[in-house]
Amino acid sequence: MTPLESSVWATLYSAGNDADNWLGKLLRQEGDFRENMEILAEDLSHQLSYYSATAYVLPHLAALCPQLLLEDQVFLVAQMGAAIAAEADRPLEPDSEADREFRQGLEGLRPLTERLVKSSETARLLQEDPEIGQQFALAALAILGDRRHAYGLYLLSGSCWQEGAAACACGWNDEGLSLAEGPGCVVPAQIGSWDGQSLKQEAVWLQGLLKLAGDESILPALPMVYGGGVCPNCGRREPYWDWLFRFMAEC
């Protein structure tokens, strides 16, 4: 964890280039916690970009989070999901200082997030505030699941999860593949019910969290994005996620 007094912070960037200022306010408990947390999170996730300050902020937030009330723990995790997921688009150099800071932050947030995901009190909070519930579900995916999947779902929010991009290795692509009209060239996944505790199957617990929040936006698309694509050009079968990530890399 890099102290706020370190000269390193002057070399880091965020959307407003003042992430250390807002982090300092949070750590000193200055002003309104949620307002400061929202500003910091936006500073680190503007336009779903990855900012170098994120890696250095995470260990501090991981240390702060257990000191908060449960509802504020949920809020902190929910707010930081996009910033964490964005690293999947610009992976850090393995074993670099930034990578070590990022991993330290995640290692601190994972057990806390897992506990929150399984908590009946968290379930009540998600039911009371569907917007926070949706944000928390995506953030939990970024922290506990596949960050690339989380980043993909954040990107798909641009179409309100109605459409998604796809590209096959044969050269076929579609930047507006429907995720709302049901089976076409994507065969929907059969996602089982969640018991509220097991985190073995990513699609199952993510769907379970979204159901708790009463989500009506992401849930209809979930079987599609976790489904399998059949290329209309060459007939090749592969996960829809592969189609999306190939499109992101090539188109």
Side-chain angles (χ1 to χ4, degrees), residues 146-198:
D146 189 321
R147 271 198 306 286
R148 292 202 309 163
H149 292 173
Y151 186 68
L153 284 173
Y154 280 112
L155 286 177
L156 294 176
S157 68
S159 70
C160 296
W161 299 281
Q162 297 291 301
E163 295 180 341
C168 179
C170 73
W172 169 85
N173 68 74
D174 186 343
E175 63 180 353
L177 187 70
S178 175
L179 299 176
E181 295 179 356
C185 58
V186 177
V187 180
Q190 299 298 313
I191 304 175
S193 298
W194 185 43
D195 64 3
Q197 296 296 310
S198 175

Side-chain angles (χ1 to χ4, degrees), residues 15-52:
N17 285 324
D18 56 357
D20 56 334
N21 176 51
W22 294 106
L23 176 61
K25 289 179 181 291
L26 286 168
L27 298 181
R28 295 189 297 271
Q29 300 182 5
E30 293 180 6
D32 182 78
F33 166 77
R34 295 201 171 196
E35 180 179 338
N36 291 340
M37 190 63 238
E38 282 185 329
I39 293 172
L40 175 61
E42 171 60 24
D43 203 21
L44 297 173
S45 62
H46 183 62
Q47 296 185 338
L48 284 177
S49 298
Y50 179 77
Y51 297 93
S52 61

Side-chain angles (χ1 to χ4, degrees), residues 11-132:
T11 70
L12 305 176
Y13 61 92
S14 59
N17 285 324
D18 56 357
D20 56 334
N21 176 51
W22 294 106
L23 176 61
K25 289 179 181 291
L26 286 168
L27 298 181
R28 295 189 297 271
Q29 300 182 5
E30 293 180 6
D32 182 78
F33 166 77
R34 295 201 171 196
E35 180 179 338
N36 291 340
M37 190 63 238
E38 282 185 329
I39 293 172
L40 175 61
E42 171 60 24
D43 203 21
L44 297 173
S45 62
H46 183 62
Q47 296 185 338
L48 284 177
S49 298
Y50 179 77
Y51 297 93
S52 61
T54 298
Y56 292 79
V57 166
L58 283 182
H60 290 276
L61 293 182
L64 171 66
C65 204
Q67 305 173 34
L68 304 173
L69 296 174
L70 185 138
E71 54 262 40
D72 287 336
Q73 293 180 13
V74 170
F75 188 82
L76 184 154
V77 169
Q79 291 297 310
M80 286 302 296
I84 292 170
E87 189 271 345
D89 188 49
R90 295 288 186 272
L92 294 166
E93 181 181 350
D95 206 34
S96 62
E97 180 180 86
D99 182 63
R100 291 192 294 272
E101 292 277 331
F102 189 83
R103 305 293 167 189
Q104 180 185 2
L106 281 186
E107 287 168 7
L109 286 173
R110 279 191 185 113
L112 181 142
T113 303
E114 182 172 344
R115 177 176 56 78
L116 291 175
V117 164
K118 298 177 179 180
S119 165
S120 59
E121 181 63 15
T122 299
R124 181 186 65 79
L125 292 172
L126 302 192
Q127 292 166 352
E128 292 177 354
D129 192 334
E131 181 178 355
I132 290 296

